[in-house]
Amino acid sequence: MTIVLTPYWSNGVQRLKMAPQPPPKPPHGLAPPTLDDDIHAQRCMAQFRGKDKDIEKYIYLSALKERDPPMFYRLALRHMSEFTPIIYTPTVGQACQEYSKNYRHPEGIFVSIKDKGKIRSVLRSWPKLEDARISVVTDGSRILGLGDLGINGMPISIGKLSLYIAGAGIRPHSTIPICLDLGTNTQKYLDDPLYLGLRKKRVPTAEMTEFMDEFMYEMSQAFPKLLVQFEDFSTDHAFLYLERYRNQYPVFNDDIQGTGAVVLSGFINAARLSSQASGRPLSSHRILFFGAGSAGVGVAMQLMSFFTLEGMTEEEARSRIYLIDSQGLIYASRGPLAEHKEYFARTDYSGPPITDLIDILEYVKPTALMGLSTMSGAFTMEAIQTMAALNPLPIIFPLSNPVKLSECTFEDAVRGTDGKVLFASGSPFPEIEWKGKMLYPGQGNNMYIFPGLGLGAIIARCSSVSDSMVEASSLGLANSLTADEKAKGLLYPVIERIREISGDIAVQVIRAAQAAGVDHHTDLRSKSDAELLAFVNGRMWNP
Ligand SMILES: NC(=O)C1=CN([C@@H]2O[C@H](COP(=O)(O)OP(=O)(O)OC[C@H]3O[C@@H](n4cnc5c(N)ncnc54)[C@H](OP(=O)(O)O)[C@@H]3O)[C@@H](O)[C@H]2O)C=CC1
Ligand SMILES: CC(=O)C(=O)O
Ligand SMILES: [Mg+2]
């Protein structure tokens, strides 16, 4: 008898060659007599809920997705609000930090700096070349707010793509998680014997850019219908590579554009409520950003359209926005500034640096305070109370991820404002009963945007992703609240409606792509909105 040894990675790769399938049914006698699908779904949930730690739940769900993808996605859709904190933020942050320790099976493509000059052959080893439609690409250099995790960033690409599949019905075998290994500057990983990446410091930007040029070109050749989502690149590289490739390939940066869109959407809904409470016009809002990295500046740029849609000029819109970085309020005469901070540098202040948040709040008198700083607890009780003293209904969005890095908790925001706060955070917080009334935190996370934005861009076969498509995704989300959600004071729809919302967003995105002339699927232009929505919904994969 010959024993054929299969390489350890072959199951995963074999599975990738097929549309997602449940595991084959064993022959009679080799399966328990009453193995029923619906009961098995209940069994999987009981096994999942039986795990004590969130990271164990994450590992359980990864194994379930590997073993039985339709069951995983069926349950993900059915239990979205229970699954997202596990497969996505906050637990995915821990999964990244422990990736090298918990690694079990391959999932996605690793392209390392050592592959420079032969990236083509690495990409072409992917088994489903012709089916590829969306790739989330990270270099692991700024994973959530957790810093440089090197190759341990892979789970963020995997997690985002799971949300594309569950939330927008992208076919599982059309998705490619990619982690670029350009080294890491985190000594702990370089010293870790289990670390799965190259044991070298990050390469200089010039070398990285040569690598990125080759990578993006070979991606476009290997996967001609692919949309690329850049994820969690450090701020300097996030802006650099978005600008470098955005007119050449279908690509967007989730942290700059996806976050900008999701926060604009929540802000539109919050600003309406805040202005109703204060009696002040929408154009009078002033927004203070605590954090001026890719996310802070990306959101600030997108929020400009809130004011321009109100009829203000670009200059007037810019004057409503203030940014703070680690040196305090950003103003032109403070000294040399990183390029991405220059546009929003204040020219109406030229005194000594103001570094204390309370002093800045009293100087700016903002109606909205946004946190994108990775500074846990930076919105102190005093800062929250100052916002409440300035506004009958302040807008406070601590958006840093994961939960442990949030600038404040929902509970603190509720206490500090006596329950009168319009709140959204990057990671989820539980609802709170305050003085007999249920209060619901919003989750201002780009997870509401990228599935629908990606779906629209893929269906329209876009050659690039225009600013107007990103703005359309935001307005589509802002307008998606139901009467019931509005009555509860929600700023974002419940996550259980993600498929419906993604379909609506995709329609808006396709229309914007058509107006911008970047759509290649031009047959869709003649469809009515209702026909287009039916077409989009009909293209969604169902587990
Ligand atoms: N909710 C969501 O959907 C999203 C949330 N995020 C979150 O946003 C956060 C920031 O991401 P990103 O912009 O890429 O990260 P960066 O590290 O590039 O930016 C952080 C910014 O915060 C500033 N900062 C740091 N410490 C302080 C301090 N003590 N006081 C004031 N400012 C400070 C930094 O200042 P300096 O410039 O001087 O260093 C920098 O401007 C992350 O936690 C990420 O998870 C990101 C994308 C989406
Ligand atoms: C949500 C997200 O993209 C981030 O925190 O980086
Ligand atoms: Mg991100």
Side-chain angles (χ1 to χ4, degrees):
M1 184 175 125
T2 316
I3 296 175
V4 181
L5 290 174
T6 45
Y8 75 96
W9 47 263
S10 70
N11 282 350
V13 174
Q14 281 307 323
R15 182 177 58 68
L16 283 168
K17 288 187 180 161
M18 305 176 293
Q21 300 286 340
K25 289 255 183 293
H28 181 71
L30 300 190
T34 63
L35 188 55
D36 167 275
D37 237 29
D38 287 335
I39 303 287
H40 191 53
Q42 291 176 31
R43 180 176 298 109
C44 291
M45 283 310 290
Q47 291 170 356
F48 166 71
R49 288 176 179 150
K51 306 282 172 204
D52 293 334
K53 294 185 181 149
D54 286 348
I55 191 69
E56 288 168 2
K57 291 185 178 180
Y58 178 91
I59 293 169
Y60 175 79
L61 290 183
S62 293
L64 179 64
K65 186 167 66 158
E66 171 71 6
R67 202 168 54 237
D68 188 352
M71 177 65 81
F72 169 82
Y73 287 111
R74 213 169 112 193
L75 294 177
L77 260 175
R78 200 178 293 165
H79 304 278
M80 205 69 191
S81 52
E82 195 172 349
F83 271 34
T84 42
I86 305 297
I87 60 176
Y88 190 53
T89 184
T91 309
V92 75
Q94 189 182 354
C96 287
Q97 289 173 306
E98 298 180 9
Y99 180 63
S100 290
K101 183 177 116 196
N102 294 332
Y103 177 81
R104 279 157 169 80
H105 59 85
E107 196 175 355
I109 308 181
F110 299 94
V111 191
S112 95
I113 189 71
K114 288 201 167 159
D115 297 319
K116 195 157 156 268
K118 44 182 190 298
I119 294 178
R120 178 188 166 86
S121 67
V122 177
L123 298 181
R124 282 170 195 263
S125 58
W126 185 250
K128 300 288 291 182
L129 288 175
E130 67 289 354
D131 287 328
R133 294 290 179 280
I134 170 80
S135 177
V136 175
V137 178
T138 187
D139 72 342
S141 54
R142 192 283 279 148
I143 297 295
L144 306 176
L146 299 169
D148 179 356
L149 305 192
I151 207 169
N152 293 331
M154 181 55 115
I156 204 73
S157 296
I158 295 171
K160 296 259 175 188
L161 287 166
S162 293
L163 293 185
Y164 267 104
I165 298 163
I170 305 290
R171 291 187 299 272
H173 52 289
S174 299
T175 66
I176 318 180
I178 298 187
C179 189
L180 307 176
D181 187 0
L182 300 154
T184 176
N185 291 339
T186 303
Q187 195 58 40
K188 185 173 85 175
Y189 295 129
L190 294 173
D191 295 340
D192 177 0
L194 297 185
Y195 182 61
L196 288 159
L198 294 177
R199 263 153 238 284
K200 72 191 289 306
K201 295 265 187 205
R202 283 192 179 272
V203 300
T205 297
E207 192 180 345
M208 179 169 175
T209 300
E210 281 175 21
F211 171 93
M212 289 299 294
D213 284 350
E214 180 187 341
F215 171 73
M216 290 302 286
Y217 173 75
E218 293 301 348
M219 289 279 279
S220 73
Q221 299 301 298
F223 313 113
K225 294 185 182 162
L226 192 75
L227 171 70
V228 172
Q229 170 171 329
F230 285 148
E231 190 68 47
D232 290 3
F233 282 68
S234 61
T235 287
D236 46 348
H237 294 148
F239 284 108
L240 174 67
Y241 297 126
L242 176 62
E243 286 313 311
R244 193 171 177 89
Y245 303 121
R246 62 174 306 175
N247 297 319
Q248 212 178 339
Y249 304 112
V251 59
F252 73 99
N253 182 295
D254 186 38
D255 300 291
I256 298 172
Q257 296 167 290
T259 316
V262 79
V263 179
L264 171 61
S265 166
F267 182 78
I268 289 171
N269 290 326
R272 285 180 191 142
L273 297 170
S274 168
S275 281
Q276 270 168 24
S278 68
R280 294 180 216 140
L282 290 173
S283 56
S284 70
H285 279 278
R286 269 188 308 280
I287 310 171
L288 177 62
F289 286 87
F290 189 79
S294 62
V297 172
V299 175
M301 289 189 307
Q302 193 63 65
L303 279 178
M304 291 278 291
S305 45
F306 171 79
F307 296 107
T308 52
L309 288 169
E310 283 300 302
M312 290 164 81
T313 64
E314 180 186 335
E315 215 27 65
E316 286 166 340
R318 179 160 60 161
S319 73
R320 317 306 299 179
I321 291 172
Y322 298 73
L323 266 68
I324 302 175
D325 65 7
S326 62
Q327 309 305 308
L329 183 71
I330 298 181
Y331 59 99
S333 61
R334 195 181 79 179
L337 291 170
E339 202 181 328
H340 65 274
K341 297 177 187 171
E342 281 172 1
Y343 179 79
F344 287 108
R346 302 296 304 185
T347 50
D348 51 0
Y349 179 84
S350 57
I354 330 184
T355 52
D356 183 68
L357 178 59
I358 305 298
D359 292 344
I360 300 173
L361 287 171
E362 274 158 7
Y363 170 70
V364 174
K365 299 191 176 22
T367 56
L369 177 60
M370 309 280 172
L372 292 139
S373 66
T374 76
M375 294 306 296
S376 172
F379 297 171
T380 57
M381 194 48 80
E382 193 186 356
I384 295 166
Q385 285 167 344
T386 306
M387 283 299 288
L390 290 168
N391 301 283
L393 201 46
I395 299 170
I396 302 181
F397 285 9
L399 296 162
S400 288
N401 296 314
V403 173
K404 65 179 179 184
L405 298 182
S406 188
E407 285 79 4
C408 68
T409 63
F410 183 43
E411 192 180 332
D412 285 346
V414 167
R415 282 187 192 289
T417 59
D418 192 21
K420 294 187 186 64
V421 63
L422 295 160
F423 180 96
S425 53
S427 296
F429 280 105
E431 57 207 38
I432 287 177
E433 193 182 330
W434 183 255
K435 300 191 173 167
K437 192 176 167 208
M438 285 313 293
L439 301 180
Y440 302 92
Q443 191 173 354
N445 191 296
N446 47 36
M447 70 177 178
Y448 276 107
I449 291 290
F450 61 76
L453 175 60
L455 180 68
I458 292 168
I459 289 180
R461 291 189 213 130
C462 290
S463 53
S464 61
V465 178
S466 65
D467 286 340
S468 56
M469 289 163 67
V470 178
E471 184 178 287
S473 70
S474 179
L475 301 182
L477 177 62
N479 293 327
S480 68
L481 288 177
T482 62
D484 189 38
E485 288 164 344
K486 283 183 189 162
K488 282 180 159 174
L490 302 194
L491 303 180
Y492 292 100
V494 294
I495 194 66
E496 278 71 16
R497 294 202 301 115
I498 185 76
R499 279 251 168 150
E500 183 192 332
I501 295 157
S502 296
D504 291 340
I505 290 177
V507 169
Q508 302 303 321
V509 167
I510 294 169
R511 289 289 185 235
Q514 292 168 347
V518 295
D519 60 319
H520 283 196
H521 193 171
T522 47
D523 291 356
L524 300 180
R525 292 182 182 185
S526 57
K527 288 192 189 297
S528 69
D529 282 355
E531 286 167 343
L532 188 55
L533 181 62
F535 182 82
V536 165
N537 288 335
R539 301 299 296 269
M540 289 187 186
W541 175 79
N542 282 303

